[in-house]
Amino acid sequence: QVQVVESGGGLVQPGGSLRLSCAVSGITFSAITMDWYRRAPGKQRELVASIFSSSTTYEIESVKGRFTISRDNAKNTVYLQMNNLEPEDTAVYYCMARRYQTYWGQGTQVTVSS
């Protein structure tokens, strides 16, 4: 059974940093693509960043230069380093593993507020 578990969310002031982690089990981690999504209050869920099995990355324009996605295949974990956070980044952040099927985590709340 595939499990996807996020951690690392919290409350941070504007301009601050957080690092989200997503641990995956029950699947060959090195072969899968990992995505971070977020759902802000009153908005649709959106893709934030992806990292492929080749370690090639993709980030949406609004987070480029501030967010970095990375993976540690030895730990079966993907990270989202978020710097210079803005109130508009407030959302529930979800991790998704995909290879033939998709597997979602339960989400972790990120709140950016002074």
Side-chain angles (χ1 to χ4, degrees):
Q1 184 178 356
V2 178
Q3 290 190 317
V4 179
V5 181
E6 303 98 333
S7 61
L11 172 64
V12 63
Q13 292 186 341
S17 298
L18 281 175
R19 188 176 80 158
L20 305 183
S21 299
C22 174
V24 181
S25 60
I27 195 170
T28 304
F29 183 78
S30 61
I32 61 176
T33 297
M34 296 297 303
D35 302 308
W36 282 102
Y37 282 78
R38 65 185 179 188
R39 187 192 300 271
K43 295 186 178 180
Q44 290 189 333
R45 184 175 62 196
E46 67 171 347
L47 175 66
V48 176
S50 300
I51 186 164
F52 302 92
S53 58
S54 62
S55 292
T56 300
T57 62
Y58 164 80
E59 298 90 15
I60 59 173
E61 195 63 34
S62 61
V63 306
K64 278 185 178 179
R66 300 190 298 122
F67 291 11
T68 302
I69 189 171
S70 62
R71 66 193 297 158
D72 185 337
N73 289 341
K75 295 183 178 180
N76 287 8
T77 300
V78 64
Y79 304 98
L80 186 67
Q81 177 66 45
M82 305 186 295
N83 299 326
N84 195 21
L85 282 159
E86 303 170 352
E88 293 73 24
D89 297 317
T90 294
V92 178
Y93 283 72
Y94 298 91
C95 181
M96 186 185 79
R98 55 183 166 104
R99 189 185 188 202
Y100 312 126
Q101 291 181 287
T102 59
Y103 306 91
W104 289 90
Q106 80 288 350
T108 185
Q109 176 71 47
V110 172
T111 303
V112 184
S113 175
S114 55

